[in-house]
Amino acid sequence: MMNELESKLEKLTRLTKAFEQADDSNKRSHLANELLCTLENTTLSARRYFSSFLKPEKHGREAHILPHHVEEHCAVEVTRDGWTHIRLNTLLQSNRQRVTGYIESTLLQMLHDHRAAGGTLPWYDRAFVIIIEHTDRRYTGRTFDPDNKEWKCVTNALKGVLFEDDDSRTVSLILDSVPDGKSFTEVIAAPYFEVKKTWIGR
């Protein structure tokens, strides 16, 4: 496992040097994409390797690494009505580019940590999953067409944890975007018929 991590770190170093030396915009774009994918895969390798060395902190929870803004951290919350709210401080990837398992792994780790801290998670026989991206219009490079957003990583992370599978009989999906000048993804899992009743009421 350590050899795998070292190999990825060496590749990151090579790609970084190549990116710095590239003077063609197309080549820099290609290298930037390679760098991002390699960096995310390196992070996953590091998680797998170093997690076995983590020991509980004073409050009993294991230390962990999550992508977060200095002011607002990633969070999992279950409401009194049994709705699961997840805040992930990154946006969805574009499915037109190479997709890594970084977001799916992060969501799984967040749910695991929620349970490890004594929290409970509901089980939905049938669920509505609502994914809301909070975006900043000034950075249009991260605003993709809905059909180009890699949302499957979300349902893949939730299946087996909040519901049995992610087929059409078990999960319905809403994908929304809110241009509020922020940059994070909100995931809500809720009982299917509660959301459906709200629609009928409208």
Side-chain angles (χ1 to χ4, degrees):
M1 183 67 72
M2 189 60 183
N3 290 338
E4 175 191 343
L5 181 57
E6 289 175 342
S7 175
K8 286 186 169 64
L9 288 171
E10 289 174 1
K11 184 177 180 180
L12 272 176
T13 301
R14 291 196 306 270
L15 287 170
T16 300
K17 289 180 179 177
F19 178 81
E20 291 173 346
Q21 295 170 358
D23 52 8
D24 178 74
S25 60
N26 290 329
K27 188 174 182 180
R28 287 175 68 89
S29 175
H30 173 75
L31 287 168
N33 186 47
E34 284 290 311
L35 268 166
L36 287 171
C37 290
T38 304
L39 182 59
E40 291 179 359
N41 284 323
T42 302
T43 301
L44 294 179
S45 294
R47 280 182 181 174
R48 288 191 293 268
Y49 179 74
F50 290 112
S51 61
S52 61
F53 298 96
L54 297 177
K55 293 184 179 180
E57 297 176 341
K58 291 181 180 179
H59 48 64
R61 293 181 61 188
E62 288 186 350
H64 60 281
I65 302 171
L66 291 175
H68 61 80
H69 189 275
V70 291
E71 297 176 355
E72 296 179 88
H73 293 250
C74 298
V76 176
E77 178 188 5
V78 179
T79 69
R80 292 180 181 178
D81 297 326
W83 290 37
T84 306
H85 285 249
I86 303 171
R87 178 191 171 108
L88 181 67
N89 281 315
T90 188
L91 298 178
L92 299 177
Q93 294 176 295
S94 168
N95 59 21
R96 291 191 171 185
Q97 300 171 344
R98 287 176 55 188
V99 177
T100 67
Y102 185 69
I103 291 178
E104 182 178 344
S105 173
T106 297
L107 288 169
L108 281 168
Q109 187 178 343
M110 291 171 66
L111 294 167
H112 169 77
D113 289 348
H114 177 78
R115 279 180 169 164
T120 58
L121 294 171
W123 180 262
Y124 308 104
D125 292 325
R126 188 171 181 184
F128 244 116
V129 174
I130 305 163
I131 304 172
I132 307 170
E133 280 195 307
H134 296 260
T135 61
D136 191 334
R137 284 180 173 173
R138 293 173 297 178
Y139 302 104
T140 55
R142 288 303 307 271
T143 304
F144 311 124
D145 294 345
D147 59 331
N148 292 335
K149 292 181 180 179
E150 177 50 43
W151 51 264
K152 289 188 290 184
C153 60
V154 175
T155 53
N156 283 341
L158 301 185
K159 71 178 179 181
V161 180
L162 298 180
F163 41 79
E164 185 175 356
D165 205 348
D166 56 356
D167 58 44
S168 59
R169 292 173 296 180
T170 309
V171 174
S172 293
L173 180 73
I174 297 174
L175 182 60
D176 194 15
S177 182
V178 180
D180 55 8
K182 300 178 181 179
S183 183
F184 70 93
T185 302
E186 183 181 4
V187 178
I188 301 169
Y192 172 83
F193 291 103
E194 286 189 22
V195 178
K196 187 175 180 181
K197 278 192 295 185
T198 303
W199 277 3
I200 293 173
R202 290 182 179 180

